[in-house]
């Protein structure tokens, strides 16, 4: 029996090794010939097998077989999609808006003013926006069907959409969707609440919603609060992180207290009240038949929950907006815009000079910034007032506060709904950890990068046992580096922290090339054509800087203009880091680029040229200093192009 087990394990190891070698061969072959296949193979290798649970628990019920699990899923999402009144909710507003909405609809219908009909240009634009390579809808229709048949299909689509706009009636089959539960990171997979529901709507409905979204955005974008940085063209979530970082640096410079509070909204997208939502839309200027059509779009909406290839019965959606639907992002911004407006009007919270930054926000992630506990409590009270009236639940037990420059300050208890906010040494906002010292968690980031590359290569991290060095570096560059340095462009890194990142990267590069530990740094980089992580950080800073200055009317650009005027050269704010980086690569000053911003392509080309010149000079200088490098030839483009030494190695 023992011998048989030994033989079986040996056969299993051989089969696994054979499969692994086959996959490695396919990846190396695709790395140059077929980029799409290359990333597909890598993503297949990254996926964790058997993520689906065989046990599901809900309200003291436990399901262990297929039909019971499907029933649990249906019950869970039906509960989410059905309005419930929490103890702290103020229902007076809901009662008023229900009456008001009915009056609004009757008045707007009597006016008889129609909606502007769609045209071929609008439809083609909506089709072009559809993302290819996504899952097809429940009818098996994907974006590619519309993209490849655009010329033939567009006239029929225009006709059908104009019928919907004329009669203000969205067919029931366009209000359905397939919801797939996606397990949240580091959550218990036996609990339905640990999953986020992502809905795949009908592809035709995506075209309709895309056109309606553009029309709503044309009105709402003019009144969107400047602190909302989520789902907004031209800005990213890093803009909210930038506001937080600069507020922290400002408080350190002025030696005043700063309180950072991260608020946790419970099931923010799933529990928006439809009546309150459409009442807000009307008062924001979305009126007439467009308002009626949008309201009708959410009447009679339903989903089916898909799990292991099976679907539940229809779940009627009586509240919430679909995560994954085109319109959802704009509708959510409309819903919580009044909170940010009220905070700004109150005058409470942190400022950078005379620029208010009390609540940098990305979608439902709100960070409260205040220079006193009185201001912080005042903002919390404003949030509590609006969320209780809008039937949104903020979870005070998951909300946290971090204090900066708190020594000698009088700190009183912060409360939300009579619950104390936990004051901690560290919290996370927008994927970036914030601690009392305002230092980046470099050691943890290095571990994340190594774990990422090991998950992709495993034992193949060494050149003698796995991928070719060029392919291994491509994986490091594409998957590990972005995870290691995410968000660092908005943080003030110390020189030793950059050194730690470079040291960790060189260790990886030596391993994947099979080089000894005493190999000169320049050789480690140039042989495989690697871009040093310090240069990548500099590129990210310059890219983020130009993204800000191209949007001249934003709050971020106002802060940069102020920093140019008032910043000390020894300061640690963002503009000083930008100036040092621009000088390092012989680029013009930040004040010049603020007045003369370049478009994305021009800036990328200019920065690329300057960085190439800088790195080539650095390589030549190191070669002159070290005799061990006298036989290596510096190629014309030592960045992102492997040396001929590696290119000449015969592929196995």
């Amino acid at each position: 029996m023992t011998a048989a087990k030994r033989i079986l394990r040996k056969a299993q190891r051989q089969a696994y090794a054979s499969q692994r070698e086959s996959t490695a061969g396919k990846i190396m072959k695709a790395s140059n010939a077929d980029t799409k296949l290359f990333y597909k193979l890598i993503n297949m290798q990254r996926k964790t097998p058997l993520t689906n649970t065989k046990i599901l628990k809900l309200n003291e019920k436990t399901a262990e077989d297929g039909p019971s699990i499907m029933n649990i899923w249906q019950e869970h999402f039906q509960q989410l999609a059905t309005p419930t009144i929490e103890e702290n909710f103020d229902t007076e507003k809901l009662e008023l808006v229900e009456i008001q909405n009915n009056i609004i609809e009757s008045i707007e219908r009597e006016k008889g003013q129609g909606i502007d009909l769609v045209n071929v240009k609008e439809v083609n634009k909506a089709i072009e926006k559809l993302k290819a390579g996504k899952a097809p809808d429940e009818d098996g229709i994907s974006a590619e069907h519309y993209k490849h048949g655009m010329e033939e299909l567009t006239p029929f689509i225009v006709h059908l959409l104009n019928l919907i706009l004329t009669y203000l009636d969205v067919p029931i089959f366009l209000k359905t969707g397939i919801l797939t539960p996606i397990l949240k990171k580091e959550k218990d997979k036996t609990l339905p609440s640990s999953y986020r529901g992502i809905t795949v709507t009908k592809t035709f409905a995506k075209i309709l919603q895309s056109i309606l979204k553009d029309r709503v955005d044309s009105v709402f974008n003019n009144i969107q609060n400047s602190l909302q940085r989520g789902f907004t063209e031209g800005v990213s979530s890093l803009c909210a992180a930038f506001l937080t970082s600069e507020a922290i640096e400002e408080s350190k410079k002025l030696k005043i207290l700063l309180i950072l509070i991260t608020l946790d909204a419970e099931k923010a997208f799933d529990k928006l009240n439809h009546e309150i939502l459409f009442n807000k839309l009307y008062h924001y200027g979305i009126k007439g038949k467009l308002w009626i059509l949008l309201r009708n779009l959410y009447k009679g909406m339903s989903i089916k929950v898909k799990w292991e290839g099976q679907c539940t019965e229809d779940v009627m959606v009586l509240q919430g907006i679909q995560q994954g639907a085109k319109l959802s992002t704009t509708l959510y911004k409309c819903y919580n815009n009044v909170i940010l407006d009220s905070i700004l009007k109150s005058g409470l919270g942190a400022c950078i000079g005379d620029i208010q930054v009390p609540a940098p926000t990305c979608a439902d992630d709100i960070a409260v910034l205040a220079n006193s506990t009185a201001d912080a409590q005042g903002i919390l009270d404003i949030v509590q007032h609006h969320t209780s009236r809008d039937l949104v639940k903020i979870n005070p037990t998951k909300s946290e506060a971090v204090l900066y420059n708190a020594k000698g300050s009088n700190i009183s208890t912060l409360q939300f709904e009579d619950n104390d906010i936990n004051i901690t040494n560290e919290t996370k906002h927008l994927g970036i950890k914030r601690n009392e010292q305002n230092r980046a968690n470099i050691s943890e980031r290095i571990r994340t990068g190594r774990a990422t590359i090991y998950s992709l290569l495993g034992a193949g991290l060494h050149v003698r046992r796995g991928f070719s060095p060029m392919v291994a570096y491509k994986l490091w560059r594409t998957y590990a580096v972005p995870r290691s340095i995410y968000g660092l462009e908005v943080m003030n890194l110390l020189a030793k922290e950059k050194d730690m990142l470079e040291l960790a990267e060189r260790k990886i590069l030596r391993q994947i090339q099979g080089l000894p530990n005493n190999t000169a740094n320049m050789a480690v980089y140039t042989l495989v054509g690697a871009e040093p992580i310090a240069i990548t950080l500099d590129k990210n800073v310059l890219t983020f800087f130009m993204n800000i200055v191209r949007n001249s009317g934003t709050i971020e650009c106002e802060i940069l203009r102020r920093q140019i005027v008032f910043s000390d050269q020894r300061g640690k704010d963002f503009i000083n880091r930008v100036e040092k980086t621009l000088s390092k690569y012989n680029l013009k000053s930040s004040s010049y680029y603020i007045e003369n911003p370049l478009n994305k392509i021009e800036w990328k080309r200019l920065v690329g040229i300057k960085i190439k010149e800088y790195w080539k000079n650095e390589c030549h200088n190191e070669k002159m200093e070290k005799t061990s490098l006298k036989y290596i030839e510096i190629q014309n483009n030592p960045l992102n192009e492997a040396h001929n030494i590696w290119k000449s190695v015969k592929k196995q």
Side-chain angles (χ1 to χ4, degrees):
M1 187 69 176
T2 303
K5 286 182 179 179
R6 192 180 300 117
I7 293 170
L8 176 62
R9 286 196 295 269
K10 181 179 178 181
Q12 287 174 329
R13 287 194 298 270
Q14 289 175 339
Y16 173 75
S18 176
Q19 182 185 25
R20 189 174 168 281
E21 286 180 13
S22 174
T23 303
K26 290 177 182 177
I27 289 172
M28 285 194 287
K29 187 176 179 181
S31 64
N32 292 320
D34 190 339
T35 303
K36 188 174 180 180
L37 177 61
F38 172 76
Y39 289 116
K40 181 179 179 181
L41 291 168
I42 291 298
N43 287 329
M44 286 172 60
Q45 189 160 288
R46 292 178 76 197
K47 288 180 180 177
T48 305
L50 301 175
T51 55
N52 286 357
T53 179
K54 300 299 180 184
I55 300 175
L56 210 57
K57 302 174 183 177
L58 179 68
N59 301 334
E60 300 181 356
K61 297 178 184 176
T62 300
E64 298 183 0
D65 59 82
S68 299
I69 287 175
M70 296 305 289
N71 289 337
I72 291 282
W73 280 126
Q74 180 160 355
E75 183 179 346
H76 169 69
F77 283 104
Q78 187 64 74
Q79 288 176 1
L80 273 183
T82 304
T84 54
I85 303 300
E86 300 282 343
E87 184 179 351
N88 62 304
F89 286 171
D90 180 356
T91 58
E92 182 183 2
K93 180 177 179 178
L94 176 61
E95 294 166 0
L96 290 173
V97 299
E98 285 176 341
I99 296 169
Q100 195 177 75
N101 286 351
N102 291 329
I103 295 172
I104 289 170
E105 180 158 349
S106 63
I107 291 173
E108 293 296 346
R109 285 188 182 276
E110 287 176 6
K111 285 182 179 179
Q113 297 175 353
I115 308 177
D116 291 339
L117 299 180
V118 302
N119 53 48
V120 171
K121 186 177 179 180
E122 271 187 300
V123 171
N124 286 343
K125 181 182 177 182
I127 293 174
E128 287 168 0
K129 285 182 180 179
L130 294 174
K131 293 183 179 179
K134 298 296 182 180
D137 62 22
E138 59 183 308
D139 298 324
I141 298 174
S142 63
E144 286 81 355
H145 288 100
Y146 288 96
K147 285 179 175 289
H148 295 307
M150 188 186 301
E151 187 176 343
E152 294 81 6
L153 293 175
T154 296
F156 299 101
I157 297 171
V158 169
H159 176 68
L160 292 173
L161 290 177
N162 283 333
L163 287 176
I164 291 172
L165 267 60
T166 300
Y167 293 101
L168 304 177
D169 186 23
V170 181
I172 289 294
F173 77 91
L174 290 180
K175 300 180 183 182
T176 62
I178 299 295
L179 183 147
T180 302
I182 305 296
L183 183 65
K184 298 176 184 176
K185 191 175 181 181
E186 298 176 357
K187 295 289 186 177
D188 184 354
K189 64 181 181 179
T190 65
L191 300 177
S193 58
S194 300
Y195 293 77
R196 178 180 291 107
I198 303 298
T199 304
V200 177
T201 56
K202 294 289 182 73
T203 309
F204 188 91
K206 290 179 182 179
I207 297 172
L208 170 63
Q209 289 201 29
S210 181
I211 292 170
L212 295 178
K213 181 181 183 298
D214 287 343
R215 296 187 180 189
V216 173
D217 284 345
S218 67
V219 177
F220 179 71
N221 286 350
N222 298 321
I223 53 176
Q224 178 179 312
N225 191 281
S226 59
L227 294 173
Q228 176 59 268
R229 315 320 285 145
F231 309 128
T232 303
E233 187 175 357
V235 299
S236 69
S237 60
L238 283 180
C239 290
F242 166 79
L243 297 179
T244 303
S245 293
E246 295 311 293
I248 294 170
E249 290 298 335
E250 183 79 358
S251 71
K252 289 174 67 177
K253 183 167 64 176
L254 299 177
K255 297 181 181 179
I256 58 175
L257 171 69
L258 182 77
I259 303 171
L260 164 64
I261 307 171
T262 55
L263 297 179
D264 181 77
E266 187 176 287
K267 301 292 182 182
F269 278 73
D270 296 315
K271 294 190 174 184
L272 296 193
N273 184 276
H274 290 169
E275 292 298 330
I276 294 175
L277 168 63
F278 290 109
N279 191 265
K280 287 175 181 280
L281 279 175
Y282 186 82
H283 290 290
Y284 280 135
I286 312 301
K287 300 183 177 183
K289 298 296 176 61
L290 175 60
W291 182 85
I292 296 173
L293 180 62
L294 289 169
R295 194 176 181 217
N296 286 344
L297 179 63
Y298 272 79
K299 288 181 178 178
M301 186 172 279
S302 66
I303 56 168
K304 290 185 175 74
V305 183
K306 185 176 182 180
W307 184 257
E308 293 190 334
Q310 302 296 316
C311 287
T312 65
E313 297 295 322
D314 284 346
V315 173
M316 300 309 297
V317 179
L318 305 177
Q319 70 172 2
I321 50 180
Q322 299 166 326
Q323 295 192 57
K326 290 280 185 180
L327 259 173
S328 297
T329 54
T330 295
L331 296 180
Y332 186 84
K333 288 191 298 182
C334 289
Y335 203 86
N336 76 351
N337 199 61
V338 68
I339 298 176
L340 302 179
D341 283 345
S342 297
I343 292 172
L344 276 184
K345 288 175 182 176
S346 72
L348 301 173
C351 294
I352 299 175
D354 60 348
I355 302 170
Q356 290 180 275
V357 289
T361 301
C362 181
D364 59 328
D365 288 313
I366 300 176
V368 173
L369 297 172
N371 297 120
S372 68
T373 50
D375 271 18
Q377 188 60 60
I379 294 175
L380 291 175
D381 290 344
I382 290 171
V383 175
Q384 181 179 343
H385 169 76
H386 286 290
T387 52
S388 67
R389 285 166 57 81
D390 290 344
L391 313 187
V392 174
K393 184 173 176 58
I394 299 290
N395 194 332
T397 59
K398 291 185 179 180
S399 300
E400 296 176 322
V402 175
L403 309 181
Y404 298 89
N405 308 315
K407 189 175 181 180
S409 300
N410 183 21
I411 308 299
S412 56
T413 304
L414 297 168
Q415 289 192 324
F416 193 94
E417 296 175 359
D418 299 325
N419 293 286
D420 291 351
I421 298 289
N422 179 36
I423 296 178
T424 180
N425 296 324
E426 182 180 80
T427 189
K428 181 182 277 190
H429 183 236
L430 303 175
I432 300 173
K433 287 191 175 180
R434 303 283 186 175
N435 53 44
E436 290 177 327
Q437 297 76 33
N438 196 32
R439 296 263 52 88
N441 49 330
I442 297 299
S443 297
E444 184 178 335
R445 287 170 177 271
I446 290 171
R447 288 194 296 271
T448 299
R450 290 189 67 85
T452 302
I453 195 66
Y454 271 112
S455 71
L456 294 172
L457 301 179
L461 189 59
H462 196 281
V463 67
R464 294 187 181 91
R465 288 184 282 174
F467 296 110
S468 73
M470 287 87 79
V471 174
Y473 170 67
K474 188 173 182 179
L475 296 177
W476 166 256
R477 181 84 194 150
T478 305
Y479 292 96
V481 171
R483 293 194 67 194
S484 300
I485 66 174
Y486 169 75
L488 291 183
E489 55 263 57
V490 301
M491 300 193 75
N492 181 37
L493 284 184
L494 300 176
K496 68 177 183 180
E497 292 172 330
K498 289 184 180 179
D499 291 342
M500 288 171 64
L501 287 168
E502 287 194 292
L503 188 64
E505 181 180 55
R506 286 197 294 269
K507 184 176 180 180
I508 292 289
L509 294 179
R510 286 189 175 98
Q511 284 182 273
I512 64 179
Q513 296 179 89
L515 299 174
N517 291 334
N518 61 352
T519 306
N521 293 343
M522 189 273 284
V524 172
Y525 289 119
T526 57
L527 285 176
V528 77
E531 179 179 279
I533 203 165
I535 288 181
T536 305
L537 285 167
D538 290 341
K539 281 172 66 174
N540 289 353
V541 167
L542 294 176
T543 300
F544 185 65
F545 164 71
M546 190 54 70
N547 287 344
I548 290 177
V549 302
R550 274 198 296 268
N551 294 280
S552 58
T554 61
I555 191 172
E556 295 83 12
C557 196
E558 288 180 35
I559 290 171
L560 289 190
R561 289 181 182 276
R562 180 186 180 278
Q563 288 179 348
I564 286 175
V565 176
F566 293 104
S567 281
D568 185 336
Q569 288 187 351
R570 294 170 297 175
K572 298 178 181 179
D573 47 23
F574 181 71
I575 204 67
N576 278 312
R577 301 200 298 275
V578 170
E579 284 291 356
K580 290 174 184 177
T581 308
L582 291 169
S583 175
K584 178 179 177 179
Y585 297 108
N586 293 318
L587 290 159
K588 294 180 181 179
S589 68
S590 59
S591 56
Y592 171 83
Y593 289 116
I594 282 183
E595 300 304 326
N596 304 278
L598 301 180
N599 65 42
K600 186 175 181 179
I601 296 174
E602 291 172 339
W603 184 240
K604 184 177 180 180
R605 182 169 60 245
L606 177 60
V607 170
I609 291 170
K610 293 295 185 178
I611 285 177
K612 188 190 294 185
E613 291 173 356
Y614 167 84
W615 181 237
K616 196 170 182 179
N617 289 334
E618 288 290 300
C619 291
H620 280 292
N621 292 338
E622 187 172 345
K623 182 179 178 181
M624 295 287 288
E625 293 172 2
K626 297 184 177 179
T627 56
S628 62
L629 297 172
K630 64 181 179 180
Y631 295 114
I632 190 170
E633 183 67 28
I634 305 299
Q635 299 194 143
N636 185 50
N637 182 17
L639 276 180
N640 300 319
E641 186 177 321
H643 198 282
N644 289 332
I645 291 174
W646 275 126
K647 288 182 180 179
S648 64
V649 176
K650 183 179 179 182
K651 294 181 181 180
Q652 299 298 321

